[in-house]
């Protein structure tokens, strides 16, 4: 995918359109100053934030040290929120580092303001005003309501300090230039519509990343008109990939024949793993679908997601989720 971009860029240079490169080089992300909001950190906010951090927006997955020798990659003891260098197998352009979100003074976010955290999460701007690499799903978190993002910050503040010094993110050329347009100021986001399950489900599939992972991509961009039809490929190692399933209500290739109960069972079958630990599996049988996180999702929320998925256009796309095994 990136190869195509590289080739494209090389062509541009060959054609001598240096002006384009010049403009790119000096392009900077759209920035607004961080807000000066002060998150109160009420018990309700912390509880809501904890739920979103673990079970819905799954921040815990990327910003913690995981044990990928076990099904679903549970967080290792003491690894919560400590950050990590994202695995090389993901085929990333450079060294991409999910930051330490704990309240450690030296290596965590203790000194960040609430506004700086919120700007990073929703706008995609780092504390140092840098465009964050969009593996950090700010294109989805942009939709988080003000009260939900504040709740997440309230919970982050409670993460016990864990010292973990990580290298800085280093994004290779030309991707470092190409991502400059990705961050966008989110502005103020009102509370989502909770009056109908379909409406709330639409909010959840955004902020939970379902839409992102279950939509096929071309040049790292979701293909318009193919939303939720699956086929987004994720390398597990050099040999094996997992491919996201078709979640549209297509009868034969999607979720058209599933009952709500079957949908819930897909998730809640892993509750036992959440509570008692998950079994060891070879990497090729493991998955990046965050089952252990979503198994903690409230029933009403999973039902809302299912209700919303029933309303999206059915797309025929037969997916083999674990090809070549
Ligand atoms: C799919 C993986 C992934 C998920 C899920 C994820 N992050 Fe990130 N996050 C990253 C990566 C990678 C970076 C670093 C990007 C960079 O340095 O360019 C990052 C950066 C950040 C930063 C900015 C750090 C800085 O140096 O400026 C914050 C704050 C943050 N994430 C918080 C969160 C929160 C809160 C959530 C959940 C709502 C979350 N992340 C979910 C991967 C993820
Ligand atoms: C990080 C990427 C990622 C995210 C986020 C994600 N999925 Fe998945 N999902 C996958 C992959 C890959 C598979 C196929 C492998 C597997 O089944 O574990 C999958 C499989 C599934 C399946 C199983 C389909 C079947 O036929 O058994 C369901 C249901 C599902 N996802 C629903 C969801 C929902 C709902 C959300 C949001 C709450 C979501 N996914 C978020 C990557 C993701």
């Amino acid at each position: 995918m990136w190869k195509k971009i590289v080739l494209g860029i090389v062509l541009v240079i060959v054609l001598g359109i240096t002006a384009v490169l010049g403009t790119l080089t000096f392009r900077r992300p759209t920035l607004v100053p961080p807000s000066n909001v002060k998150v109160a950190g009420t018990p309700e906010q912390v509880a809501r934030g904890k739920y979103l951090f673990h079970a819905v927006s799954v921040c815990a997955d990327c910003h913690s040290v995981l044990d990928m020798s076990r099904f679903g990659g549970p967080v290792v003891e003491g690894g919560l929120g400590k950050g990590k260098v994202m695995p090389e197998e993901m085929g990333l352009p450079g060294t991409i580092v999910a930051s330490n979100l704990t309240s450690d003074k030296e290596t965590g976010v203790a000194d960040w303001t609430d506004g700086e955290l919120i700007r990073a999460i929703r706008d995609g701007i780092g504390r140092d005003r840098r465009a964050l690499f969009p593996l950090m799903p700010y294109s989805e978190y942009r939709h988080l309501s003000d009260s939900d993002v504040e709740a997440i910050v309230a919970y982050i503040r409670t993460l016990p300090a864990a010292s973990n010094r990580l290298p800085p993110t280093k994004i290779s050329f030309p991707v470092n230039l190409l991502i400059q347009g990705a961050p966008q100021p989110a502005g103020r986001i009102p509370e989502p519509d909770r009056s109908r399950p379909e409406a709330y489900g639409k909010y959840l599939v955004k902020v939970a990343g379902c839409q992102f992972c279950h939509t096929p991509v071309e040049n790292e961009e979701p293909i318009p008109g193919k939303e939720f039809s699956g086929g987004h490929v994720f390398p597990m190692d050099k040999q094996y990939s997992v491919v996201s399933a078709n979640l549209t209500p297509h009868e034969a290739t999607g979720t058209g024949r599933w009952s709500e109960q079957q949908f819930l069972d897909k998730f809640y079958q892993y509750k036992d793993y959440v509570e008692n630990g998950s079994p060891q599996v070879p990497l090729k049988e493991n998955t990046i679908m965050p089952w252990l996180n979503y198994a903690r999702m409230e029933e009403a929320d999973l039902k809302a997601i299912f209700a919303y998925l029933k309303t999206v256009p059915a797309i025929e796309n037969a997916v083999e989720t674990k090809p070549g095994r």
Side-chain angles (χ1 to χ4, degrees):
M1 279 167 275
W2 291 115
K3 271 196 207 120
K4 275 201 200 142
I5 296 177
V6 176
L7 272 177
I9 287 288
V10 166
L11 202 69
V12 165
I13 299 166
V14 168
L15 289 173
I17 311 172
T18 38
V20 172
L21 201 65
T23 321
L24 271 178
T25 311
F26 295 106
R27 200 153 143 228
R28 289 288 171 266
T30 320
L31 287 178
V32 292
S35 81
N36 49 19
V37 65
K38 267 301 310 125
V39 175
T42 63
E44 293 74 28
Q45 280 180 316
V46 173
R48 173 74 183 161
K50 180 176 184 182
Y51 176 63
L52 294 168
F53 191 92
H54 290 272
V56 179
S57 297
V58 302
C59 323
D61 243 38
C62 291
H63 286 274
S64 304
V65 183
L66 304 183
D67 179 359
M68 285 312 287
S69 73
R70 294 182 181 277
F71 182 85
V75 174
V76 304
E77 182 90 38
L80 182 64
K82 255 175 106 161
K84 66 180 170 219
V85 178
M86 296 308 283
E88 212 180 297
E89 302 81 71
M90 294 177 78
L92 297 166
T95 312
I96 312 292
V97 185
S99 32
N100 181 341
L101 297 180
T102 75
S103 40
D104 186 56
K105 262 273 182 218
E106 305 271 298
T107 63
V109 296
D111 288 342
W112 291 44
T113 67
D114 295 342
E116 284 170 335
L117 281 170
I118 291 171
R119 187 175 66 170
I121 299 166
R122 287 200 309 201
D123 298 7
I125 299 290
R127 193 186 192 203
D128 50 5
R129 303 159 65 91
R130 181 171 66 83
L132 296 176
F133 187 66
L135 173 65
M136 163 69 193
Y138 51 86
S139 58
E140 313 295 305
Y141 297 156
R142 192 173 289 161
H143 302 275
L144 278 165
S145 71
D146 293 347
S147 75
D148 275 349
V149 81
E150 285 169 23
I152 290 174
V153 169
Y155 175 65
I156 287 177
R157 298 300 190 196
T158 71
L159 291 174
S163 174
N164 187 24
R165 192 169 295 285
L166 293 160
T169 287
K170 234 176 122 37
I171 309 166
S172 29
F173 176 86
V175 179
N176 58 345
L177 302 183
L178 294 170
I179 64 160
Q180 296 298 322
Q184 291 298 330
R188 299 201 67 82
I189 309 289
E191 276 295 277
D193 178 359
R194 287 186 165 83
S195 63
R196 290 168 307 121
E198 299 86 332
Y200 190 50
K202 184 175 183 179
Y203 175 74
L204 289 171
V205 296
K206 281 272 182 208
V207 303
C210 328
Q211 181 164 351
F212 174 78
C213 281
H214 283 270
T215 300
V217 290
E218 200 167 54
N219 299 332
E220 302 294 319
E221 294 285 343
I223 305 174
K226 296 276 186 200
E227 288 80 8
F228 300 106
S229 64
H232 191 155
V233 180
F234 301 92
M236 295 295 288
D237 60 17
K238 291 211 164 59
Q239 199 180 355
Y240 294 105
S241 300
V242 282
V243 185
S244 64
N246 183 348
L247 299 183
T248 75
H250 188 264
E251 280 281 321
T253 64
T255 58
R257 293 193 196 128
W258 298 11
S259 67
E260 183 187 70
Q261 192 56 50
Q262 282 171 321
F263 184 75
L264 295 180
D265 290 346
K266 291 255 181 206
F267 292 84
Y268 291 148
Q269 65 176 315
Y270 300 113
K271 263 190 176 165
D272 176 48
Y273 290 177
V274 177
E275 279 148 29
N276 303 312
S278 58
Q280 295 227 285
V281 287
L283 196 65
K284 68 173 192 174
E285 275 151 44
N286 215 335
T287 176
I288 58 143
M289 163 73 190
W291 291 115
L292 302 181
N293 301 77
Y294 300 141
R296 299 164 73 169
M297 219 192 282
E298 286 161 13
E299 202 171 296
D301 286 358
L302 278 176
K303 285 181 174 173
I305 289 176
F306 189 65
Y308 171 65
L309 290 174
K310 285 267 175 227
T311 71
V312 310
I315 299 173
E316 178 168 7
N317 186 26
V319 177
E320 201 186 333
T321 56
K322 292 183 178 170
R325 314 296 203 274

